[in-house]
Amino acid sequence: MTGHITALPVGVRLAVSPLSWANDVLEDLGADISLETCLRDAAESGYEGIELGRKFPREAGALRSLLDSHRLALASGWHSGELAERSVDDEMKAVAGHAALLRAMDCKVMVYGEVAMMTPGSPLDAPMSQRLRMPAAEVAGYAGRLTDFAGRLAAEYGLTLAYHHHLMMVAETFDEISAIFDKTGSEAGLLLDTGHAVAGGFDYARLIDRFGDRVVHIHLKDIRGPVIDEVRAGDMSFNAGVRRGMFTVPGDGIIDFKPLARFVRDSGYRGWLVVEAEQDPAVAEPRPAVERAFKHVQANFRS
């Protein structure tokens, strides 16, 4: 397949995450798949961009040359933040290299995932019931640090913070996300992840209704309903859920993406849509999966 999607509004672009080829945390998943295969599959399937993954070079010249050879842009990259437990000054030091790389690659947003205040040890291997909650008394201070950090990130690197609500982190449920974003300034943007919303127990459209004007980056992830039910009922870990296939690409699960397409069309959203699925590439062959997803997204924007 060649050629980029034409059904998207002007200024909206479709990217894919490398997680379909190689998992960033469970390094045995996709260990034998080369970065070249990932980039070739992405480009030939019609995607305009890709997010960072663990196999990518982190030097701007090498990364730009590699992506240019496949006519791919860098959509963004994940930063593991710890503002739940550390100062803005310390966070700015921690993010410097990553933010500089994203700026050099002409990215507009930086994905922020909060990895502090998580279950001790290996939090993604702990039963989901053991997730730590942020005390209500600490939310305002945390939101203030996020706002300050987002402002400094924009001023120093030209990047908008895209806060990733995520299973097993301090913003998993709709109420937790709302409590934080009710107290952050407009400097802090929201990453809407359809899969993490549904797996977190709520319809992603609730985030659109409540915080649509804060959405600056979008991950298109689907959920296999029977699998997430099994994971929740068995109090499995996040990583166990990934291995069982609770996440998949759009069109392979239970999520309706038409409300998302309407939001993008009607809201004036400009930026990236990123097809993403954390699953075992030995079970879900990457290229057919991302090609199906490409067609599914296109169909939703044309209907």
Side-chain angles (χ1 to χ4, degrees):
M1 182 189 302
T2 58
H4 297 315
I5 192 167
T6 57
L8 295 180
V10 174
V12 179
R13 305 170 75 188
L14 189 62
V16 67
S17 166
L19 289 174
S20 283
W21 291 267
N23 194 279
D24 278 356
V25 176
L26 301 170
E27 295 193 3
D28 60 302
L29 301 186
D32 59 335
I33 300 176
S34 70
L35 177 57
E36 179 66 24
T37 295
C38 168
L39 298 178
R40 184 184 66 245
D41 286 353
E44 292 181 355
S45 297
Y47 293 92
E48 292 188 65
I50 196 161
E51 287 194 332
L52 277 176
R54 63 180 173 85
K55 296 186 179 184
F56 286 58
R58 298 301 170 114
E59 190 279 317
L63 181 58
R64 184 178 295 279
S65 177
L66 181 63
L67 295 187
D68 283 352
S69 70
H70 293 278
R71 298 182 181 178
L72 290 168
L74 187 68
S76 188
W78 168 287
H79 168 66
S80 293
E82 298 184 28
L83 283 168
E85 295 177 348
R86 70 182 172 194
S87 71
V88 176
D89 284 343
D90 286 344
E91 199 64 55
M92 289 301 297
K93 293 175 184 175
V95 81
H98 181 63
L101 176 62
L102 296 184
R103 177 180 59 189
M105 296 301 296
D106 301 319
C107 294
K108 304 303 179 186
V109 301
M110 184 194 78
V111 177
Y112 179 97
E114 183 59 65
V115 300
M117 203 174 286
M118 294 180 73
T119 308
S122 300
L124 298 183
D125 289 317
M128 287 198 184
S129 64
Q130 294 183 13
R131 181 175 69 92
L132 299 185
R133 274 72 168 173
M134 178 175 283
E138 297 183 20
V139 171
Y142 176 59
R145 292 192 296 278
L146 275 175
T147 302
D148 186 8
F149 177 69
R152 291 176 61 176
L153 190 71
E156 296 186 30
Y157 298 99
L159 296 168
T160 298
L161 183 145
Y163 188 93
H164 195 328
H165 58 98
H166 198 287
L167 298 183
M168 295 301 291
M169 297 181 184
V170 298
E172 175 179 297
T173 69
F174 178 78
D175 288 345
E176 289 165 341
I177 300 165
S178 297
I180 293 168
F181 270 78
D182 280 343
K183 294 179 174 65
T184 58
S186 59
E187 296 93 333
L190 178 65
L191 186 157
L192 171 63
D193 188 298
T194 55
H196 277 278
V198 174
F202 64 95
D203 185 339
Y204 73 82
R206 295 181 67 193
L207 279 182
I208 289 174
D209 293 341
R210 185 76 175 76
F211 297 109
D213 61 338
R214 305 289 294 276
V215 173
V216 297
H217 202 56
I218 297 172
H219 280 178
L220 303 178
K221 190 189 283 98
D222 213 337
I223 292 287
R224 293 186 175 93
V227 180
I228 190 64
D229 290 345
E230 178 187 1
V231 169
R232 287 296 190 185
D235 194 20
M236 298 178 190
S237 70
F238 178 86
N239 281 340
V242 168
R243 289 188 183 278
R244 282 181 179 258
M246 65 180 178
F247 293 127
T248 186
V249 295
D252 283 357
I254 63 172
I255 295 179
D256 179 5
F257 289 89
K258 287 186 175 59
L260 188 284
R262 286 196 296 271
F263 164 69
V264 170
R265 279 197 304 260
D266 298 343
S267 68
Y269 173 84
R270 296 292 179 267
W272 289 100
L273 307 177
V274 184
V275 166
E276 182 182 78
E278 296 170 85
Q279 53 187 347
D280 186 347
V283 176
E285 191 177 349
R287 179 150 178 169
V290 300
E291 287 181 345
R292 289 195 307 274
F294 184 97
K295 292 175 182 177
H296 188 74
V297 173
Q298 186 174 26
N300 274 271
F301 275 88
R302 284 181 170 163
S303 62

